[in-house]
């Protein structure tokens, strides 16, 4: 497990790209600025410069998320140095 539970937005973006390319079984869940945690985790569909597109497998809806609004994230399966079900903070 990473000693510090903080990631920059740039580090988060790199983690998400890595998960999309090498961890297709890993789903992510986010807490956005001013909001509670999303109810469901989702699979990463696409990542652009400032947004991520996630497919919520429970509702089968696509959700577009502005990366600059993410304040915390978690994954549902271990992936490299990221542990599952741990709330990681996103800092500027």
């Amino acid at each position: 497990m990473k000693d510090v539970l903080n990631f920059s937005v740039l580090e988060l973006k790199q983690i998400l790209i890595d998960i999309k390319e090498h961890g297709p079984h890993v789903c992510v869940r986010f807490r956005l600025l001013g909001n509670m945690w999303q109810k469901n985790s989702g699979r990463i569909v696409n990542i652009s410069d400032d947004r991520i597109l996630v497919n919520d497998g429970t509702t089968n809806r696509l959700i577009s998320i502005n990366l600059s609004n993410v304040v915390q994230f978690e994954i549902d399966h271990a992936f490299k140095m990221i542990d599952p079900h741990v709330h990681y903070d996103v800092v500027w």
Side-chain angles (χ1 to χ4, degrees):
M1 185 163 111
K2 187 173 169 124
D3 289 335
V4 179
L5 302 180
N6 294 332
F7 291 95
S8 70
V9 174
L10 186 58
E11 289 172 319
L12 170 62
K13 183 177 175 181
Q14 187 55 54
I15 290 166
L16 297 173
I17 290 169
D18 205 15
I19 289 172
K20 182 178 183 325
E21 292 176 354
H22 305 289
H25 62 285
V26 177
C27 292
V28 295
R29 187 168 76 116
F30 301 97
R31 189 170 74 81
L32 304 179
L33 187 65
N35 293 302
M36 301 296 285
W37 278 94
Q38 294 176 319
K39 289 183 182 179
N40 305 313
S41 296
R43 295 204 190 286
I44 300 168
V45 175
N46 192 31
I47 302 169
S48 68
D49 286 340
D50 60 351
R51 300 194 77 80
I52 178 172
L53 189 62
V54 177
N55 180 32
D56 180 331
T58 303
T59 63
N60 201 31
R61 291 181 31 198
L62 291 176
I63 301 167
S64 178
I65 297 169
N66 185 330
L67 287 172
S68 65
N69 289 335
V70 176
V71 293
Q72 288 183 310
F73 75 99
E74 70 174 4
I75 61 176
D76 64 349
H77 291 90
F79 183 78
K80 297 190 178 181
M81 80 278 195
I82 309 294
D83 290 323
H85 310 293
V86 173
H87 294 171
Y88 293 97
D89 293 333
V90 178
V91 296
W92 284 94

